Amino acid sequence: PGEEASFQGQGKGKFTWLHNNDSKQGETVKFIASSAFADGVIVEFIDSNNCASHDTLYPQILETNLYMPNAFSPNGDGLNDIFGLQKGVVYHYNLDIYNRYGAHIASLNNEGWNGGNYLPGSYIYILRYQFAPAADFKTIKSIINLIR
């Protein structure tokens, strides 16, 4: 996710490519790879006889390791204010936060943690995520440091 993905058609005619509310024309086009590829990339081809055909391509996003920071500082400066994943990095994720005593303090779906009214310190998190709708869930368990 986040990298450019190229699509290429062959034939004499006009190609129109549609992905995630973005439309491009040409034999070769590029889109930014994201979990939205699960919805497909639509290609329309109109040949030299003005005959149209359509197809939907479902590119496979190769799985990669996710990088999660070990600290964040929700102080309102716009830098590292939220702990979580940016939109489009994965298809879906669940984030559970626990205090140092193991008490569950937050459960979030497809949204990051802003630290709430909790004191600075170390917290345990469990992140479960999918790269695509039919993909297996992967899990990361680690510690995040809340800095105020």
Side-chain angles (χ1 to χ4, degrees):
E3 306 268 332
E4 280 191 329
S6 295
F7 296 86
Q8 183 173 4
Q10 293 180 335
K12 292 185 179 187
K14 177 182 167 187
F15 288 90
T16 302
W17 305 82
L18 304 165
H19 168 61
N20 205 24
N21 297 323
D22 190 8
S23 174
K24 297 183 179 183
Q25 293 189 358
E27 212 169 279
T28 303
V29 296
K30 293 182 180 184
F31 291 106
I32 300 297
S34 73
S35 60
F37 274 168
D39 296 330
V41 175
I42 299 169
V43 59
E44 176 187 63
F45 176 69
I46 300 175
D47 69 15
S48 56
N49 295 319
N50 214 25
C51 292
S53 59
H54 299 82
D55 200 359
T56 303
L57 309 174
Y58 296 95
Q60 181 180 5
I61 298 175
L62 300 178
E63 296 186 12
T64 184
N65 293 326
L66 291 180
Y67 168 77
M68 295 299 291
N70 61 6
F72 77 116
S73 57
N75 57 12
D77 67 356
L79 301 171
N80 303 311
D81 286 335
I82 303 289
F83 174 70
L85 298 174
Q86 291 181 357
K87 183 178 172 115
V89 172
V90 297
Y91 173 72
H92 179 78
Y93 75 94
N94 300 318
L95 179 62
D96 288 299
I97 310 290
Y98 300 85
N99 68 15
R100 68 181 82 191
Y101 305 108
H104 187 252
I105 61 171
S107 185
L108 305 146
N109 287 309
N110 290 325
E111 62 179 304
W113 184 46
N114 65 6
N117 293 322
Y118 292 97
L119 295 173
S122 297
Y123 294 83
I124 300 160
Y125 72 89
I126 299 175
L127 174 71
R128 295 186 70 236
Y129 61 94
Q130 287 179 295
F131 278 107
D136 291 335
F137 272 94
K138 305 239 183 220
T139 303
I140 297 175
K141 299 176 185 178
S142 193
I143 295 172
I144 184 67
N145 294 297
L146 172 59
I147 301 169
R148 298 248 185 220

